Amino acid sequence: MIQQLPTSGLTSTDRPSTAQARIEAETRQLLDQVRAGGDAAVRDLTLRFDGVEVQKSQVEPAEIDEALRIADPTLVEALQQAAANIRRVGSAQLFSEEEVLVRPGVRVWRVSRPLRRVGVYVPGGRAPYPSSVLMLCVPATLAGCSEVVLCSPPGQDGHVDRNILAAAAIAGATEVHAIGGVQAIGAMAYGTETLARVDKVFGPGNSHVTAAKRLVFGEVAVDMPAGPSEVVVISDGSVAAAWLAADLEAQAEHAPDAVGILISTDREHAEQVASLVTQRMAPQLRFYIATTLEEALAAANQFGPEHLILACRDAEAHLGAVTNAGSVFLGPFSPAAAGDYATGANHVIPTGGAVRSFSPLGLDAFGRTLQVQSLSAGGLSELSSLVEPMARAEGFHHHLRSVRIRLSEKVDASASCPRPRAGVAQMHPYLWEASSAEVAARAGIPEGDVVRFDTNTCPWTVAEADCLTLQGVNEYPDSNYPALVSALANYLDQPSAAITLGAGADELLSLISMAFVGPNDPVVIPVPTYSMFSALTEAAGGHQISVAGGDEEKLLQVASRARLIWLCNPNNPTGELLREGLVQRLATSSPGIVVVDEAYFEFSGRSSVRLIDELPNLVVVRTLSKAFGLAGARVGYAVSGPAIAQILALVRPPASISGQSAALAVSALEHTQDMKARVAGLLRERELLADEITKRGFDSRSSSTNFLLVSCPNGLAEQLAARGLVVRSFPVDSSLHGWMRVTVRSKEENGRLLEGLSDFGGRGGN
Ligand code: PMP
């Protein structure tokens, strides 16, 4: 009877085998019957399995009250106290979780919501279990479930056991039905005419009930597989043999298929335990000898018992070694029976080894959590650098847009300062790609290895460093910048009066907008184009009229009522030149001002400057940021007739170009021949690059600038960034989805880009 614990541990024969396939087939048939036949099918099955005819399954409230009234007062008292203990233990399981401040302005937390309507099954079978009523219904009501349906089979008299009804009254069940077995599970899962379906089915039962719960899973939630009960007792011989024999017998008493296993490190003591158990129960019990407690615990873990009694010295010290068990009982005075009824711990526990994947019934089983997240404008902007590469990699441009659109309209309603003007609050500001430092950190490369293919700058400067001095840096520069104006007049072959200086072309665009655009003024923008045009228009409160760049007829039509027309020639980001004569036609047909942004003039050689004499409403804006290689110095200028120049002078801030920058600009303008030679080299490089890009299967639009618009399949920009190569993408402008803008750079840098394209898994075509 007593065996040495096999080296392989407990075996599957230590658990009763159930004829799964047969049981499942029978159960499925019964469930189908309930689903199709509703109340009538339930009545038929009750007659078939319980041998009674029950016309109306729902128990009247009066019958429940009566059951409580006539119940044995000592039982009622015990049930009430046990319920209080379950409540006390359950209260510690009430959902409580801290809100997490993931980053400043990003809060994430979870809240719990109870299931609305739950169904619990309490077997009648061999004996009615009012204790199970408490274990199932008390946590349900404590969790806040508003409807708690209890099903239990009718006895021979056609009624639910009175003690079950009394317990149901104590535990707060809201609806009781005299339905047992598979039909109860089916009725609760599918609903019948008189029993509305529930959201989750709970409760132990025989193998058919367990199979039924498995089969309805998905239609409803179910708690866990809880079949034949089982206990493993681990003994070192220190707890009285008679006590352990009683524990094993108590287990066997549950049902003929209940199992009790003793694993002892003390052979003599184990023999004593075995000799004390009732012979009738012996077939349900096993006795094993282990060499050490560790070995015994390992076998128990492998078996994963519903109940585990650690009947050994210093039991709690061994708890750390228990990994697989449902309910653990520590020390000589902790019999499983105490947990079955009274400790307040739950006795609905996974069996059959299911503790590997399930927990004993707890309050959480009667609710679900909702997760909540709240982001401020700052919080969203903190996270945008995470969202953007992931959304791009997954090809979800609308995801990206939903973040960017908010950041570009990012006036936090909860901001602590007064709101800005409406136009500013709504505007879409200029957005840069990630900084070199960020790209380097993400790619895990030195910042110096990052190449900016997104800024349309040049890999050189033609200004000479020896023009720089600290002398005079304590004073403001001369706001008229005579040397710079004269160098520009010379470069442009224009009078000095035609020139307005600014800190980069951007400052001039901004001055023009400030001087000419008021709220609701019609402003025409051929799109796609440089995004600052629209940002400035929005900031000024102008009424933006976007027209597809190629639609000249429409352009001319809206020009006739425009207050301002923004043109970019050659255009950023398409690289194209405007059709010959268009500037002139627009300027003559418009009452407003026509701005031609020629930031990339030196790469195309085409300019509207020669038109300013005949067109008093024309202003050309240029920069030294691109071909002269002075983006960091921030020097730009506008060329216009004197009238516009005088208006711009009104709004121009004093001394916005530093003396150093002005000196660099003068130096650069002294080297225009160098600039032209370099530009010519770059244009040759551009054609080579475009050819190589096309050879790699990507589309490249022809360009009159120092950049190319290239097809960009999903994930490419991120793969390039992972190599430190930053290209310009256009997540907000849907007309440019699938395209990227790449600056033509040095041969070596372009080579790195080409390598990146070659290594890209997908092909390039749009
Ligand atoms: N206009 C266009 C079309 C541009 O592409 C740029 C630079 N991105 C600018 C103006 C701004 O140039 P700056 O550096 O002179 O402010």
Side-chain angles (χ1 to χ4, degrees), residues 8 59 97 100 152 184 191 230 261 381 407 429 457 478 489 512 567 606 640 642 692 713:
S8 56
V59 181
E97 212 171 77
V100 179
S152 194
E230 57 205 19
I261 299 172
S381 118
L407 292 177
T457 47
D478 178 343
I512 293 167
L567 300 173
R606 273 255 306 272
S640 65
E692 291 299 322

Side-chain angles (χ1 to χ4, degrees), residues 430 432 454-457 502-509 529-533 567-573 597-600 621-626 630-632 634-637 707 728 741:
Y430 185 83
W432 295 90
D454 60 323
T455 49
N456 296 344
T457 47
D506 279 339
E507 186 176 52
L508 288 147
L509 299 177
T529 190
Y530 184 41
S531 61
M532 276 305 286
F533 297 162
L567 300 173
C568 187
N569 199 27
N571 190 30
N572 173 8
D597 180 335
E598 292 185 356
Y600 302 95
V621 176
R622 296 232 193 120
T623 179
L624 273 74
S625 293
K626 309 296 179 183
L630 281 182
R634 315 301 305 125
V635 183
Y637 56 96
F707 55 82
R728 185 69 156 144
R741 197 191 64 202

Side-chain angles (χ1 to χ4, degrees), residues 472-473 475-485 488 499-505 507-508 511 622-624 630-638 652-666 669:
V473 82
E475 300 292 348
Y476 291 108
D478 178 343
S479 208
N480 294 317
Y481 304 99
L484 180 52
V485 170
L488 279 170
I499 296 165
T500 307
L501 292 176
E507 186 176 52
L508 288 147
L511 296 179
R622 296 232 193 120
T623 179
L624 273 74
L630 281 182
R634 315 301 305 125
V635 183
Y637 56 96
R652 191 180 143 235
S656 67
I657 306 171
S658 77
Q660 308 280 345
S661 293
L664 285 166
V666 171
L669 289 163

Side-chain angles (χ1 to χ4, degrees), residues 354-674:
V355 293
R356 237 180 321 117
S357 338
F358 295 87
S359 312
L361 195 61
L363 223 65
D364 54 331
F366 293 91
R368 304 135 297 146
T369 52
L370 323 182
Q371 49 184 17
V372 188
Q373 45 240 287
S374 169
L375 289 84
S376 67
L380 183 62
S381 118
E382 283 269 326
L383 291 192
S384 67
S385 63
L386 278 62
V387 173
E388 295 193 4
M390 291 195 266
R392 276 204 204 106
E394 295 183 1
F396 281 166
H397 295 290
H398 294 285
H399 280 63
L400 191 50
R401 188 164 175 272
S402 74
V403 170
R404 283 213 162 179
I405 203 166
R406 285 181 166 76
L407 292 177
S408 53
E409 289 174 9
K410 65 159 181 298
V411 174
D412 193 350
S414 61
S416 54
C417 72
R419 287 179 69 80
R421 280 189 291 112
V424 175
Q426 302 300 320
M427 68 178 284
H428 301 72
Y430 185 83
L431 296 170
W432 295 90
E433 296 293 336
S435 73
S436 297
E438 277 174 75
V439 173
R442 270 188 240 144
I445 57 172
E447 196 176 325
D449 287 357
V450 173
V451 187
R452 309 280 341 179
F453 286 97
D454 60 323
T455 49
N456 296 344
T457 47
C458 285
W460 67 69
T461 177
V462 292
E464 288 184 348
D466 60 9
C467 69
L468 289 178
T469 164
L470 279 178
Q471 207 184 350
V473 82
N474 57 317
E475 300 292 348
Y476 291 108
D478 178 343
S479 208
N480 294 317
Y481 304 99
L484 180 52
V485 170
S486 117
L488 279 170
N490 183 36
Y491 174 58
L492 296 163
D493 194 19
Q494 288 289 326
S496 299
I499 296 165
T500 307
L501 292 176
D506 279 339
E507 186 176 52
L508 288 147
L509 299 177
S510 161
L511 296 179
I512 293 167
S513 173
M514 194 193 305
F516 292 96
V517 181
N520 300 319
D521 280 346
V523 175
V524 174
I525 309 182
V527 288
T529 190
Y530 184 41
S531 61
M532 276 305 286
F533 297 162
S534 121
L536 292 171
T537 307
E538 285 175 343
H543 169 59
Q544 182 170 320
I545 305 168
S546 304
V547 179
D551 191 347
E552 288 181 17
E553 205 176 311
K554 182 84 202 267
L555 261 180
L556 284 163
Q557 188 195 325
V558 290
S560 64
R561 56 188 164 94
R563 176 89 172 117
L564 186 149
I565 303 172
W566 294 111
L567 300 173
C568 187
N569 199 27
N571 190 30
N572 173 8
T574 58
E576 292 160 352
L577 278 165
L578 292 177
R579 183 100 72 81
E580 193 85 55
L582 182 63
V583 172
Q584 205 160 8
R585 285 205 297 283
L586 285 170
T588 40
S589 59
S590 175
I593 185 159
V594 175
V595 187
V596 184
D597 180 335
E598 292 185 356
Y600 302 95
F601 155 72
E602 283 80 6
F603 305 102
S604 73
R606 273 255 306 272
S607 176
S608 298
V609 166
R610 66 188 159 76
L611 299 176
I612 60 171
D613 286 341
E614 55 182 282
L615 298 169
N617 58 344
L618 177 67
V619 53
V620 174
V621 176
R622 296 232 193 120
T623 179
L624 273 74
S625 293
K626 309 296 179 183
F628 289 93
L630 281 182
R634 315 301 305 125
V635 183
Y637 56 96
V639 197
S640 65
I644 290 180
Q646 277 161 22
I647 293 170
L648 294 181
L650 299 175
V651 289
R652 191 180 143 235
S656 67
I657 306 171
S658 77
Q660 308 280 345
S661 293
L664 285 166
V666 171
S667 164
L669 289 163
E670 281 164 3
H671 296 90
T672 49
Q673 286 314 319
D674 287 359

Side-chain angles (χ1 to χ4, degrees), residues 31 44 61 106 328 357 379 508 523 592 612 649 679 716 724 752:
L31 286 173
D44 288 351
V106 182
V328 183
S357 338
L508 288 147
V523 175
I612 60 171
V679 165
L716 174 60
R752 278 181 65 189

